[in-house]
Amino acid sequence: MDGGRLKLAREAAGLSLRDLEGALSRVVTAQAIGKYERGEMAPSQPVLIALAQALSVSPHYLLSERRIAMEALDFRKELKADAKAERATEAAVVDYIDRYVDLEETLNLESIQWTPPSSIEQVPADLADAERAAERLRSLWELGTDPIPDMVELLEEKGIKVFFHPLPAKVFGSQAIARVRLEGGDIRVASIVVNSATTGERQRFTLAHELAHFVMPGISDLEEKLGESYADRFGGAWLVPATTLIEKVGQHRTHITLAELVDLKRYFQVSLQVILIRLCQLGVITKSVAGPFWGMFKAKGWKDGSRDEPERLEPMKGHRLERLCLRALAEEAISESKACELLRISRSQLEALLDESLA
């Protein structure tokens, strides 16, 4: 058994050695579990099964020899204050990448790894460069200038895994890069971790912001505030293209209504704050026109997120892993028990999913 996988599964579950001992009804001691994790002992078959059940993984998962090492996972200062939460999140991300790569490798898909575009500057010289980078990537991916209906599906088709996970309130998400050892050699797998507890509009902007870090990796080496400003500008331009916004509202406005802002939010699927920022960035309205809205947003609790904005978007969910799993089942590339393992669901839940796909 791979002791590293056992430790990963335990930490992903947020359990200490003592916690796991208790979950196993003291079938084995915490000391013995520690020896399993360090490779000093191997559990018996009954203990292996008990460990898998307690950690909601399969025995096959614990026995797998695939190696995954996290190269980068930066939640910045907020999460780093809680080392246990940070490690549990890292373990959950690695587990998700492991399952996703397992399935994509089985289906021999090119999206198993992220290939960054080479024609975009890694470090923008200014905010205008960050805006142009978003425009350039839209052009390379042939997206036009319309709103992107499903950010999760788009990024995952391009090789960036999206993992939704509960994070501390002030942490919206992060980029994560892992090195995965496959039979043909090592590959680098990119993913974005998104706070599952935030609204859909916040999640969409988080994905666009973190995409900037993958497209322009050099901004992560800049002074943090500057790098984040570039990523924010990219994210705004990515979700709210300048040409489309100006077509909707005009080149210059001396007045704009809340109803118009809400309508634009509905169209672009971003927050009212992003709409207002984009209008100012593009010179459509002045700061004096925007000022009263900022006061309103603060008073209503929209600015700090303590209250939901109008037309709140529901939190997003990825469907590609599930869809690929059903495809692999249909092609008899995996068994039903393997599908349950990859999706972390029970046999009855899988049957319900299969029935739903046939409806």
Side-chain angles (χ1 to χ4, degrees):
M1 185 191 75
D2 183 353
R5 280 182 172 263
L6 173 59
K7 183 177 181 181
L8 183 67
R10 174 177 62 78
E11 292 181 334
L15 300 176
S16 66
L17 290 170
R18 290 292 182 188
D19 292 336
L20 183 52
E21 176 186 345
L24 293 168
S25 300
R26 301 185 183 278
V27 171
V28 291
T29 65
Q31 289 82 1
I33 297 171
K35 289 183 178 180
Y36 299 154
E37 292 183 351
R38 295 190 296 273
E40 298 171 2
M41 287 175 53
S44 64
Q45 187 70 10
V47 171
L48 175 66
I49 293 173
L51 286 167
Q53 291 176 339
L55 296 170
S56 299
V57 298
S58 71
H60 177 269
Y61 169 81
L62 295 177
L63 293 169
S64 174
E65 295 184 356
R66 182 184 290 111
R67 296 287 190 272
I68 300 181
M70 187 63 69
E71 290 187 351
L73 178 61
D74 182 15
F75 284 103
R76 303 170 183 86
K77 59 185 179 182
E78 291 88 352
L79 190 59
K80 290 184 183 300
D82 187 342
K84 183 178 180 181
E86 183 180 11
R87 181 55 184 153
T89 299
E90 180 179 333
V93 174
V94 172
D95 171 66
Y96 182 73
I97 290 174
D98 181 44
R99 290 183 283 122
Y100 215 133
V101 167
D102 191 342
L103 184 55
E104 290 188 310
E105 185 182 23
T106 298
L107 293 171
N108 193 30
L109 299 177
E110 291 184 0
S111 58
I112 195 169
Q113 64 178 326
W114 156 253
T115 302
S118 58
S119 57
I120 295 178
E121 292 292 335
Q122 292 200 359
V123 184
D126 51 33
L127 291 172
D129 269 357
E131 175 121 6
R132 283 189 288 269
E135 295 171 353
R136 176 60 178 158
L137 186 61
R138 271 181 167 264
S139 176
L140 287 173
W141 286 358
E142 300 179 343
L143 298 178
T145 59
D146 289 336
I148 298 169
D150 193 331
M151 278 287 293
V152 179
E153 186 77 12
L154 172 66
L155 295 185
E156 294 198 320
E157 288 289 347
K158 296 298 183 180
I160 299 177
K161 317 302 185 247
V162 178
F163 179 50
F164 293 94
H165 190 70
L167 300 172
K170 293 183 179 181
V171 181
F172 299 120
S174 175
Q175 59 174 319
I177 301 175
R179 183 171 295 279
V180 183
R181 176 158 297 176
L182 303 178
E183 289 186 5
D186 288 2
I187 63 170
R188 295 175 80 242
V189 176
S191 66
I192 297 175
V193 187
V194 181
N195 192 335
S196 58
T198 54
T199 62
E201 54 265 43
R202 177 68 252 185
Q203 291 173 339
R204 279 173 60 84
F205 190 80
T206 295
L207 288 173
H209 174 101
E210 298 301 339
L211 174 61
H213 283 278
F214 284 120
V215 173
M216 304 179 295
I219 65 176
S220 297
D221 298 325
L222 300 175
E223 185 273 325
E224 183 175 352
K225 186 175 181 180
L226 179 61
E228 293 301 283
S229 294
Y230 287 157
D232 282 346
R233 185 60 177 261
F234 176 98
W238 177 259
L239 293 172
V240 187
T243 54
T244 305
L245 181 59
I246 290 172
E247 285 174 2
K248 291 285 183 183
V249 298
Q251 186 71 55
H252 297 291
R253 295 284 296 273
T254 58
H255 179 71
I256 195 164
T257 66
L258 178 60
E260 286 181 277
L261 296 180
V262 172
D263 187 57
L264 290 169
K265 169 183 177 168
R266 187 184 301 113
Y267 181 75
F268 288 105
Q269 299 183 61
V270 297
S271 70
L272 292 174
Q273 297 180 66
V274 169
I275 294 295
L276 199 60
I277 289 170
R278 289 296 286 155
L279 290 171
C280 290
Q281 287 174 345
L282 300 175
V284 176
I285 62 174
T286 62
K287 290 184 178 180
S288 61
V289 173
F293 287 106
W294 288 123
M296 179 197 303
F297 294 172
K298 183 177 181 180
K300 289 182 175 293
W302 299 345
K303 190 172 182 179
D304 62 7
S306 58
R307 293 184 181 179
D308 291 335
E309 294 180 354
E311 300 289 333
R312 175 183 183 272
L313 297 182
E314 291 300 314
M316 296 187 294
K317 178 183 177 182
H319 299 283
R320 186 170 182 266
L321 181 63
E322 182 180 285
R323 190 177 67 253
L324 292 180
C325 211
L326 294 179
R327 169 184 164 182
L329 268 176
E331 295 177 2
E332 299 184 347
I334 61 173
S335 65
E336 289 192 355
S337 61
K338 180 67 172 179
C340 290
E341 175 191 331
L342 292 172
L343 296 178
R344 293 287 186 264
I345 59 177
S346 65
R347 184 62 66 94
S348 61
Q349 288 173 312
L350 178 62
E351 290 174 356
L353 185 60
L354 291 169
D355 290 342
E356 181 182 327
S357 67
L358 296 174

